[in-house]
Amino acid sequence: MAKVIEGLYYSESHEYVKVEGEFGYIGITDYAQNALGNIVYVDMPDEDDEIEAEDDFGAVESVKAASDLKSPIGGIVVETNEALEDQPELINQDAYANWIIKVKIADMAELDGLMDAKAYEEFCNNQ
């Protein structure tokens, strides 16, 4: 069973949001990194890019497949996780510790449309 962490918000496309104040850290879930296998490249947006909820903001490539990243929320990219440029496999080691982008959240109400840990676990079990 993939690891799911309480207190995060989850999307059906297997991204998570960790909220700290007005910022959200977005990454892929443990379930997603498991399904992808060994991650070899992470394509990230530029800082100051504006992203909308449900928009693609990058991609994760593994030896098996490439997968677009869909943003669970809208906002302005304030930081990308530069460590992933040289070590994309960090996501395989701990998907939750290795977020992909940090955004200034445009609308906190968008979080209401995402799943909590319990709902996401049930969602994964039914995949």
Side-chain angles (χ1 to χ4, degrees), residues 74-94:
I76 305 285
V77 178
V78 293
E79 193 179 340
T80 59
N81 188 345
E82 291 178 1
L84 298 177
E85 290 175 14
D86 295 325
Q87 296 180 287
E89 68 277 3
L90 289 171
I91 293 174
N92 293 122
Q93 292 166 18
D94 189 339

mmCIF file of all heavy atoms in Angstrom, residues 74-94:
data_model
loop_
_atom_site.group_PDB
_atom_site.id
_atom_site.type_symbol
_atom_site.label_atom_id
_atom_site.label_comp_id
_atom_site.label_asym_id
_atom_site.label_seq_id
_atom_site.Cartn_x
_atom_site.Cartn_y
_atom_site.Cartn_z
ATOM 1 N N GLY A 74 -4.655 26.730 -8.294
ATOM 2 C CA GLY A 74 -4.063 27.813 -9.068
ATOM 3 C C GLY A 74 -3.198 28.703 -8.200
ATOM 4 O O GLY A 74 -3.358 28.748 -6.979
ATOM 5 N N GLY A 75 -2.266 29.405 -8.854
ATOM 6 C CA GLY A 75 -1.418 30.331 -8.117
ATOM 7 C C GLY A 75 -0.211 30.741 -8.937
ATOM 8 O O GLY A 75 -0.117 30.448 -10.124
ATOM 9 N N ILE A 76 0.702 31.430 -8.277
ATOM 10 C CA ILE A 76 1.949 31.878 -8.898
ATOM 11 C C ILE A 76 3.085 31.004 -8.369
ATOM 12 O O ILE A 76 3.204 30.818 -7.162
ATOM 13 C CB ILE A 76 2.258 33.358 -8.529
ATOM 14 C CG1 ILE A 76 1.096 34.278 -8.887
ATOM 15 C CG2 ILE A 76 3.559 33.807 -9.189
ATOM 16 C CD1 ILE A 76 0.930 34.579 -10.340
ATOM 17 N N VAL A 77 3.904 30.481 -9.282
ATOM 18 C CA VAL A 77 5.054 29.674 -8.874
ATOM 19 C C VAL A 77 6.093 30.601 -8.232
ATOM 20 O O VAL A 77 6.570 31.527 -8.869
ATOM 21 C CB VAL A 77 5.674 28.939 -10.082
ATOM 22 C CG1 VAL A 77 6.911 28.143 -9.651
ATOM 23 C CG2 VAL A 77 4.650 28.022 -10.749
ATOM 24 N N VAL A 78 6.400 30.358 -6.964
ATOM 25 C CA VAL A 78 7.393 31.184 -6.272
ATOM 26 C C VAL A 78 8.733 30.468 -6.133
ATOM 27 O O VAL A 78 9.753 31.098 -5.891
ATOM 28 C CB VAL A 78 6.898 31.682 -4.891
ATOM 29 C CG1 VAL A 78 5.743 32.657 -5.054
ATOM 30 C CG2 VAL A 78 6.513 30.531 -3.983
ATOM 31 N N GLU A 79 8.716 29.147 -6.301
ATOM 32 C CA GLU A 79 9.959 28.390 -6.179
ATOM 33 C C GLU A 79 9.796 27.028 -6.842
ATOM 34 O O GLU A 79 8.692 26.463 -6.846
ATOM 35 C CB GLU A 79 10.277 28.195 -4.685
ATOM 36 C CG GLU A 79 11.666 27.701 -4.381
ATOM 37 C CD GLU A 79 11.906 27.559 -2.873
ATOM 38 O OE1 GLU A 79 11.176 28.172 -2.064
ATOM 39 O OE2 GLU A 79 12.832 26.821 -2.526
ATOM 40 N N THR A 80 10.876 26.526 -7.428
ATOM 41 C CA THR A 80 10.904 25.148 -7.909
ATOM 42 C C THR A 80 11.955 24.409 -7.083
ATOM 43 O O THR A 80 12.873 25.023 -6.545
ATOM 44 C CB THR A 80 11.267 25.064 -9.407
ATOM 45 O OG1 THR A 80 12.550 25.655 -9.607
ATOM 46 C CG2 THR A 80 10.229 25.776 -10.271
ATOM 47 N N ASN A 81 11.797 23.118 -6.977
ATOM 48 C CA ASN A 81 12.726 22.318 -6.192
ATOM 49 C C ASN A 81 13.943 21.985 -7.064
ATOM 50 O O ASN A 81 13.959 20.998 -7.785
ATOM 51 C CB ASN A 81 12.042 21.045 -5.696
ATOM 52 C CG ASN A 81 12.906 20.270 -4.724
ATOM 53 O OD1 ASN A 81 14.108 20.506 -4.613
ATOM 54 N ND2 ASN A 81 12.289 19.338 -4.035
ATOM 55 N N GLU A 82 14.957 22.843 -6.980
ATOM 56 C CA GLU A 82 16.121 22.725 -7.852
ATOM 57 C C GLU A 82 16.903 21.430 -7.637
ATOM 58 O O GLU A 82 17.582 20.956 -8.544
ATOM 59 C CB GLU A 82 17.041 23.938 -7.686
ATOM 60 C CG GLU A 82 16.410 25.203 -8.227
ATOM 61 C CD GLU A 82 17.282 26.435 -8.045
ATOM 62 O OE1 GLU A 82 18.401 26.311 -7.510
ATOM 63 O OE2 GLU A 82 16.830 27.519 -8.441
ATOM 64 N N ALA A 83 16.786 20.840 -6.464
ATOM 65 C CA ALA A 83 17.487 19.576 -6.196
ATOM 66 C C ALA A 83 17.057 18.491 -7.184
ATOM 67 O O ALA A 83 17.844 17.609 -7.542
ATOM 68 C CB ALA A 83 17.227 19.119 -4.763
ATOM 69 N N LEU A 84 15.808 18.579 -7.666
ATOM 70 C CA LEU A 84 15.283 17.557 -8.574
ATOM 71 C C LEU A 84 15.906 17.634 -9.964
ATOM 72 O O LEU A 84 15.839 16.676 -10.729
ATOM 73 C CB LEU A 84 13.758 17.672 -8.686
ATOM 74 C CG LEU A 84 12.991 17.459 -7.375
ATOM 75 C CD1 LEU A 84 11.501 17.662 -7.610
ATOM 76 C CD2 LEU A 84 13.266 16.084 -6.786
ATOM 77 N N GLU A 85 16.508 18.776 -10.307
ATOM 78 C CA GLU A 85 17.146 18.901 -11.616
ATOM 79 C C GLU A 85 18.304 17.910 -11.743
ATOM 80 O O GLU A 85 18.497 17.308 -12.796
ATOM 81 C CB GLU A 85 17.631 20.338 -11.844
ATOM 82 C CG GLU A 85 16.483 21.308 -12.034
ATOM 83 C CD GLU A 85 16.933 22.760 -12.130
ATOM 84 O OE1 GLU A 85 18.143 23.014 -12.313
ATOM 85 O OE2 GLU A 85 16.065 23.637 -12.016
ATOM 86 N N ASP A 86 19.071 17.757 -10.667
ATOM 87 C CA ASP A 86 20.208 16.841 -10.683
ATOM 88 C C ASP A 86 19.880 15.473 -10.092
ATOM 89 O O ASP A 86 20.556 14.491 -10.387
ATOM 90 C CB ASP A 86 21.388 17.441 -9.898
ATOM 91 C CG ASP A 86 21.915 18.707 -10.562
ATOM 92 O OD1 ASP A 86 21.907 18.780 -11.804
ATOM 93 O OD2 ASP A 86 22.311 19.630 -9.830
ATOM 94 N N GLN A 87 18.855 15.433 -9.242
ATOM 95 C CA GLN A 87 18.506 14.179 -8.564
ATOM 96 C C GLN A 87 16.997 13.918 -8.602
ATOM 97 O O GLN A 87 16.335 13.912 -7.561
ATOM 98 C CB GLN A 87 18.968 14.230 -7.103
ATOM 99 C CG GLN A 87 20.470 14.314 -6.927
ATOM 100 C CD GLN A 87 20.818 14.370 -5.454
ATOM 101 O OE1 GLN A 87 20.602 15.382 -4.794
ATOM 102 N NE2 GLN A 87 21.314 13.271 -4.921
ATOM 103 N N PRO A 88 16.444 13.662 -9.790
ATOM 104 C CA PRO A 88 14.998 13.417 -9.870
ATOM 105 C C PRO A 88 14.562 12.190 -9.072
ATOM 106 O O PRO A 88 13.413 12.105 -8.631
ATOM 107 C CB PRO A 88 14.752 13.222 -11.372
ATOM 108 C CG PRO A 88 16.089 12.885 -11.956
ATOM 109 C CD PRO A 88 17.102 13.570 -11.094
ATOM 110 N N GLU A 89 15.509 11.285 -8.821
ATOM 111 C CA GLU A 89 15.178 10.059 -8.077
ATOM 112 C C GLU A 89 14.824 10.338 -6.617
ATOM 113 O O GLU A 89 14.315 9.453 -5.924
ATOM 114 C CB GLU A 89 16.329 9.049 -8.176
ATOM 115 C CG GLU A 89 17.608 9.442 -7.447
ATOM 116 C CD GLU A 89 18.547 10.388 -8.222
ATOM 117 O OE1 GLU A 89 18.206 10.820 -9.351
ATOM 118 O OE2 GLU A 89 19.623 10.697 -7.690
ATOM 119 N N LEU A 90 15.060 11.571 -6.138
ATOM 120 C CA LEU A 90 14.653 11.927 -4.773
ATOM 121 C C LEU A 90 13.153 11.699 -4.584
ATOM 122 O O LEU A 90 12.701 11.350 -3.494
ATOM 123 C CB LEU A 90 14.995 13.388 -4.467
ATOM 124 C CG LEU A 90 16.483 13.709 -4.299
ATOM 125 C CD1 LEU A 90 16.697 15.218 -4.227
ATOM 126 C CD2 LEU A 90 17.043 13.015 -3.064
ATOM 127 N N ILE A 91 12.383 11.887 -5.652
ATOM 128 C CA ILE A 91 10.928 11.663 -5.559
ATOM 129 C C ILE A 91 10.644 10.195 -5.248
ATOM 130 O O ILE A 91 9.746 9.893 -4.474
ATOM 131 C CB ILE A 91 10.212 12.116 -6.846
ATOM 132 C CG1 ILE A 91 10.307 13.644 -6.975
ATOM 133 C CG2 ILE A 91 8.746 11.668 -6.847
ATOM 134 C CD1 ILE A 91 9.757 14.199 -8.275
ATOM 135 N N ASN A 92 11.411 9.285 -5.845
ATOM 136 C CA ASN A 92 11.225 7.861 -5.544
ATOM 137 C C ASN A 92 11.577 7.541 -4.092
ATOM 138 O O ASN A 92 10.941 6.697 -3.466
ATOM 139 C CB ASN A 92 12.091 6.986 -6.455
ATOM 140 C CG ASN A 92 11.659 7.031 -7.906
ATOM 141 O OD1 ASN A 92 12.443 7.390 -8.771
ATOM 142 N ND2 ASN A 92 10.418 6.680 -8.190
ATOM 143 N N GLN A 93 12.574 8.237 -3.561
ATOM 144 C CA GLN A 93 13.003 7.969 -2.186
ATOM 145 C C GLN A 93 11.969 8.448 -1.170
ATOM 146 O O GLN A 93 11.688 7.757 -0.202
ATOM 147 C CB GLN A 93 14.365 8.621 -1.925
ATOM 148 C CG GLN A 93 15.472 7.958 -2.721
ATOM 149 C CD GLN A 93 16.762 8.786 -2.742
ATOM 150 O OE1 GLN A 93 16.961 9.674 -1.921
ATOM 151 N NE2 GLN A 93 17.605 8.513 -3.714
ATOM 152 N N ASP A 94 11.409 9.635 -1.378
ATOM 153 C CA ASP A 94 10.363 10.158 -0.488
ATOM 154 C C ASP A 94 9.576 11.224 -1.235
ATOM 155 O O ASP A 94 9.975 12.387 -1.300
ATOM 156 C CB ASP A 94 10.959 10.720 0.795
ATOM 157 C CG ASP A 94 9.883 11.078 1.824
ATOM 158 O OD1 ASP A 94 8.707 11.271 1.437
ATOM 159 O OD2 ASP A 94 10.211 11.174 3.013
#
